[in-house]
């Protein structure tokens, strides 16, 4: 069963009727329900196409946060082989919100960094709901240094509501860790490809997303702050998050127009959580295409291409 968002109520009602009719058929009722089921399935398809064809920025934010949306480990399991993680920052400890390691992507050795939220209460607590602490970013820096040394492309997968704002994280240098991780991304002499699969909020995202190519799923969001955070600062009322989301230009479509992301990966009607494998495979194809752009490029050329990309953002606004 899917978890339905508020704006999906028409879909929810129709699918509930379909389930009820199928149950009647399974229970051996003499009534032929096949024609009615087919009619309702057509209506579900039409309703879903209509609703997902005109999502508002706030509705996209809700889809991006859907609890059943595939997370980093789902992508890692399908896209990478021989994925061997590293643990700890060699300074304080381990942070499970950021998963990092070496793997093969379609036979090619790569370094992989990803933010994992978890799927249930136990895993969400383990991964701190996808909110990295300083040691997570320092672990990412460790991996990027290895990648640079051994000439391995870096693939990062972003999905976080932001870096963890706890007192302990601040005491251990959260801002410094984010800044150094961002700096390391920019200094890399190997290609770096970033994929935003859900939320890409604040420095928690940019610390592993200052890449040569940034791709977003169709209903993902990416911003310097969450809509709730922006509403709290601007109007001192987090309930105005919907208004903030509309004005902040956080959608993939807006960001591609600004030149912040290069490509948008389409999601099947109904969102990535309804057709996870299809979305993950399409993401893999886009990552492969991005890596191919840098074949034969020197370290200096790759750094300069990244530099020019960021310098060009906002130039034509």
């Amino acid at each position: 069963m899917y978890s339905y968002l508020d704006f999906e109520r028409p879909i929810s009602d129709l699918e509930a009727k379909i389930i009820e009719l199928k149950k009647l058929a399974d229970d051996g009722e003499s009534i032929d329900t096949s024609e009615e089921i087919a009619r309702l399935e057509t209506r579900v398809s039409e309703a879903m196409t209509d609703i997902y064809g005109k999502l508002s920025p706030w509705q996209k934010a809700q889809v991006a946060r859907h609890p059943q949306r595939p997370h980093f480990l789902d992508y890692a399991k399908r896209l990478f082989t021989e994925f061997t993680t590293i643990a700890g920052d060699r300074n304080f400890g381990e942070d499970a919100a950021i998963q990092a390691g070496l793997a093969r992507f379609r036979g090619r050795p790569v370094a992989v960094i990803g933010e994992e939220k978890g799927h249930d209460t136990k895993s969400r607590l383990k991964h701190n709901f996808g909110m990295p602490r300083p040691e997570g970013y320092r672990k990412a820096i460790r991996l990027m240094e290895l990648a640079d040394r051994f000439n391995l492309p870096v693939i990062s997968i972003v999905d976080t509501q932001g870096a963890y704002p706890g007192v302990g994280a601040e005491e251990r240098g959260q801002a410094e860790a984010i800044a150094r991780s961002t700096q390391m991304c920019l200094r890399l002499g190997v290609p770096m490809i970033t994929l935003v699969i859900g939320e890409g909020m604040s420095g928690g995202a940019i610390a592993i997303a200052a890449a040569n190519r940034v791709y977003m799923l169709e209903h993902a969001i990416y911003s310097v702050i969450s809509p709730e955070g922006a509403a709290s600062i601007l109007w001192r009322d987090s309930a105005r998050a919907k208004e903030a989301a509309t004005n902040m230009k956080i959608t993939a479509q807006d960001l591609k127009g600004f030149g912040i992301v290069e490509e948008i990966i389409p999601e099947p009607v109904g969102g990535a959580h309804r057709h996870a494998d299809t979305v993950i495979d399409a993401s893999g194809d886009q990552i492969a295409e991005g890596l191919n752009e840098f074949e034969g490029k020197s370290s200096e050329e790759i750094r300069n291409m990244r530099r020019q990309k960021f310098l060009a953002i906002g130039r034509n606004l």
Side-chain angles (χ1 to χ4, degrees):
M1 288 292 292
Y2 296 111
S3 294
Y4 293 95
L5 300 170
D6 290 344
F7 63 84
E8 293 180 310
R9 184 174 294 276
I11 300 169
S12 171
D13 293 343
L14 289 169
E15 289 190 335
K17 291 177 182 176
I18 291 172
I19 292 170
E20 187 178 339
L21 289 173
K22 286 182 177 179
K23 188 174 183 300
L24 284 175
D26 292 341
D27 289 344
E29 297 288 341
S30 58
I31 304 172
D32 182 8
T33 60
S34 58
E35 187 175 328
E36 180 64 12
I37 288 173
R39 187 181 68 81
L40 289 172
E41 286 176 340
T42 299
R43 288 181 60 190
V44 166
S45 179
E46 291 171 349
M48 203 173 291
T49 299
D50 181 58
I51 289 170
Y52 275 82
K54 55 184 181 183
L55 293 179
S56 69
W58 178 240
Q59 288 171 332
K60 282 183 178 286
Q62 292 176 280
V63 176
R65 296 168 172 174
H66 197 287
Q68 293 169 324
R69 196 172 177 86
H71 298 311
F72 167 72
L73 291 178
D74 300 306
Y75 283 77
K77 182 178 179 181
R78 192 165 179 88
L79 292 181
F80 307 115
T81 56
E82 301 178 40
F83 184 33
T84 304
T85 58
I86 64 172
D89 63 349
R90 298 295 187 267
N91 183 40
F92 178 80
E94 164 66 346
D95 176 35
I98 286 186
Q99 300 289 297
L102 304 175
R104 289 189 181 275
F105 172 69
R106 299 185 177 181
R108 178 176 186 170
V110 294
V112 181
I113 305 168
E115 291 165 326
E116 172 61 33
K117 287 182 172 181
H119 282 287
D120 52 30
T121 301
K122 184 178 179 180
S123 61
R124 285 169 187 155
L125 289 171
K126 174 185 175 182
H127 296 289
N128 200 35
F129 297 86
M131 295 186 290
R133 298 178 172 91
E135 43 272 22
Y137 295 114
R138 292 179 180 130
K139 176 172 63 175
I141 293 169
R142 275 186 63 207
L143 184 71
M144 285 189 275
E145 288 173 343
L146 283 172
D148 210 27
R149 185 179 307 166
F150 295 105
N151 198 33
L152 300 175
V154 177
I155 299 171
S156 68
I157 297 180
V158 171
D159 189 17
T160 182
Q161 58 186 293
Y164 183 59
V167 173
E170 296 298 333
E171 289 175 341
R172 295 194 298 278
Q174 183 71 288
E176 183 265 354
I178 290 172
R180 288 195 180 276
S181 185
T182 306
Q183 180 187 48
M184 188 66 223
C185 291
L186 296 170
R187 285 171 50 195
L188 283 171
V190 295
M192 183 173 185
I193 306 293
T194 292
L195 176 65
V196 183
I197 61 173
E199 295 180 272
M201 298 287 102
S202 192
I206 194 64
I208 61 167
N212 291 89
R213 296 288 181 268
V214 179
Y215 306 131
M216 287 181 69
L217 295 194
E218 182 180 358
H219 302 313
I221 56 174
Y222 189 27
S223 175
V224 296
I225 192 171
S226 69
E228 292 84 354
S232 295
I233 292 171
L234 293 174
W235 302 296
R236 298 186 181 182
D237 182 5
S238 61
R240 295 178 69 176
K242 179 178 180 180
E243 184 179 348
T246 303
N247 291 307
M248 288 167 63
K249 308 300 181 184
I250 62 176
T251 69
Q253 295 74 20
D254 288 325
L255 296 171
K256 187 178 180 186
F258 296 147
I260 294 171
V261 304
E262 278 73 33
E263 296 293 341
I264 299 171
I265 299 166
E267 296 185 33
V269 175
H273 55 283
R274 287 179 176 264
H275 307 277
D277 288 350
T278 301
V279 169
I280 294 172
D281 290 343
S283 300
D285 292 340
Q286 186 63 66
I287 291 170
E289 184 179 320
L291 290 175
N292 289 338
E293 292 182 44
F294 298 94
E295 288 289 345
K297 296 285 193 298
S298 68
S299 296
E300 192 55 41
E301 285 177 310
I302 290 169
R303 287 193 194 96
N304 190 55
M305 290 172 73
R306 192 183 300 121
R307 170 185 168 83
Q308 293 307 316
K309 164 198 159 87
F310 282 96
L311 288 176
I313 291 175
R315 220 174 245 172
N316 300 319
L317 297 181

